Amino acid sequence: MVGPMAAQRPGLRRTTDRSTTDAAAEMVVVTPTYAPDLELFADLHASVLRCFPDDVRHLVVVTQPDVGPFRRFAGPRCEVLGVGDVLPGSVRALPLTKLWVNLRRPIPPLRGWILQQLVKLAVAAQVGERVVVTADSDIVFIRPVTVETFAPGGQVRLFRLDDGVDSSLTRHVRWHAVSRSLLGLPPAPPPPLPDYVTALNSWDREVVVRMLARVEEVTGRDWLEAVGKELHFSECMLYGVYADGVEQGKGLTTTGDSRCHTYWGSDPLSVDGAAAMISSAGPQDVAYMISAKSYTPLDVRRAAHARVFAD
């Protein structure tokens, strides 16, 4: 259940306990990733070091075989963790496949996409920092940020794009249905529905802990088992539906601005195209994201970034 599950795992270092006022201002960046995105992560991590305050650490979680390559980033501000450091020992990789299995509920097996979401939820519930910033590997921060960036007035930002999910976004509609079922909420009305999915997200750790407790209360199972059995799931959607549907957004700042300029296209960008995309980031954007699924070459990304930020 949430109590034991949220306890510190052997490989996850919690920050030193501080006063309530200071604890409310703590922030951590979390990135689940894998070896093929090693160099993308290198650029992300360098931007975290540039743009975040010196006391903010970056947690990267990878599968055990990938821990070695990522060790180059380990240091005072970066903790490299294996999946086994944040999930219980019952979660095992299936040899010669990209699947995982939770021995406590082996069917269905866990796909890599679901595993990364479980990792995000588990880390968010275990860290000592209150403000949890989840950043995908294909993000680069471009402006200095503070706790106020993600928690203005001490209230963590909740990304919600009203009417952002129409009937054509069938996966998003399904994610809504799964989230509401896990949380014991009535079925959603027909679309349009709010969208909570974004590449750069901020969570309130205390909300995450209460959300996972709610999942366990509703399902009668450990949250890891309850979520892991789902074939279609979005951790962003679960958090948003819980924050709005159960807690009515209390204590959070709701906004439709993710503060991350994004390119979700599937076509690779040229240097000119990538530079134009980066240059079009708004003054409120603190990061940009060129989707890894666009297969934009690394040298193109770096050349475009260097062109835009030559000064």
Side-chain angles (χ1 to χ4, degrees):
M1 297 297 177
V2 168
M5 183 65 196
Q8 181 185 5
R9 304 283 304 172
L12 181 56
R13 174 175 54 84
R14 294 184 70 113
T15 52
T16 304
D17 290 337
R18 303 175 184 176
S19 68
T20 301
T21 302
D22 288 341
E26 288 179 348
M27 178 167 57
V28 64
V29 182
V30 178
T31 303
T33 186
Y34 69 142
D37 283 352
L38 179 70
E39 292 304 321
L40 288 179
F41 177 81
D43 292 351
L44 164 64
H45 182 57
S47 73
V48 169
L49 296 182
R50 285 195 307 268
C51 296
F52 280 75
D54 290 343
D55 61 350
V56 172
R57 60 184 181 146
H58 193 180
L59 304 183
V60 53
V61 188
V62 295
T63 60
Q64 298 303 143
D66 289 348
V67 168
F70 279 86
R71 286 291 187 203
R72 70 189 238 205
F73 304 107
R77 293 189 58 192
C78 184
E79 190 170 352
V80 180
L81 302 166
V83 169
D85 294 323
V86 297
L87 295 182
S90 60
V91 177
R92 306 281 183 85
L94 288 176
L96 305 178
T97 76
K98 295 182 179 180
L99 300 176
W100 291 68
V101 64
N102 182 357
L103 298 179
R104 296 175 182 170
R105 189 186 179 98
I107 299 175
L110 305 173
R111 295 168 298 164
W113 170 251
I114 296 293
L115 183 77
Q116 284 203 349
Q117 297 180 80
L118 297 176
V119 163
K120 283 186 187 179
L121 293 171
V123 172
Q126 294 174 49
V127 295
E129 296 89 342
R130 177 176 165 231
V131 182
V132 180
V133 178
T134 63
D136 293 345
S137 295
D138 42 16
I139 286 176
V140 175
F141 288 93
I142 55 176
R143 292 189 174 95
V145 301
T146 66
V147 173
E148 280 290 310
T149 305
F150 296 102
Q155 295 191 325
V156 180
R157 288 165 55 95
L158 168 66
F159 174 77
R160 183 184 71 204
L161 184 61
D162 292 333
D163 298 336
V165 176
D166 60 31
S167 57
S168 69
L169 297 175
T170 54
R171 293 181 68 194
H172 285 63
V173 172
R174 183 170 294 183
W175 292 340
H176 260 280
V178 169
S179 297
R180 297 181 75 86
S181 176
L182 287 169
L183 296 168
L185 295 173
L193 298 167
D195 192 3
Y196 303 98
V197 179
T198 177
L200 177 62
N201 230 316
S202 51
W203 290 346
D204 185 320
R205 173 182 51 81
E206 297 169 7
V207 174
V208 172
V209 170
R210 292 194 296 269
M211 174 186 73
L212 298 182
R214 168 84 176 207
V215 169
E216 293 186 345
E217 178 184 358
V218 168
T219 65
R221 293 181 175 274
D222 183 286
W223 71 265
L224 185 71
E225 297 178 30
V227 173
K229 73 177 179 60
E230 300 294 342
L231 298 179
H232 302 277
F233 173 75
S234 164
E235 82 284 18
C236 297
M237 196 71 78
L238 181 68
Y239 181 87
V241 169
Y242 173 80
D244 268 346
V246 178
E247 299 199 355
Q248 287 79 51
K250 294 177 182 177
L252 300 175
T253 297
T254 302
T255 174
D257 176 15
S258 71
R259 307 205 69 172
C260 181
H261 187 50
T262 57
Y263 174 71
W264 291 104
S266 57
D267 295 327
L269 296 176
S270 64
V271 174
D272 288 343
M277 179 269 171
I278 296 169
S279 297
S280 63
Q284 79 284 358
D285 291 318
V286 299
Y288 69 83
M289 187 279 285
I290 298 175
S291 173
K293 294 182 179 179
S294 72
Y295 298 103
T296 299
L298 184 68
D299 60 344
V300 168
R301 294 170 178 268
R302 289 177 172 172
H305 182 94
R307 179 188 297 181
V308 175
F309 298 101
D311 295 333

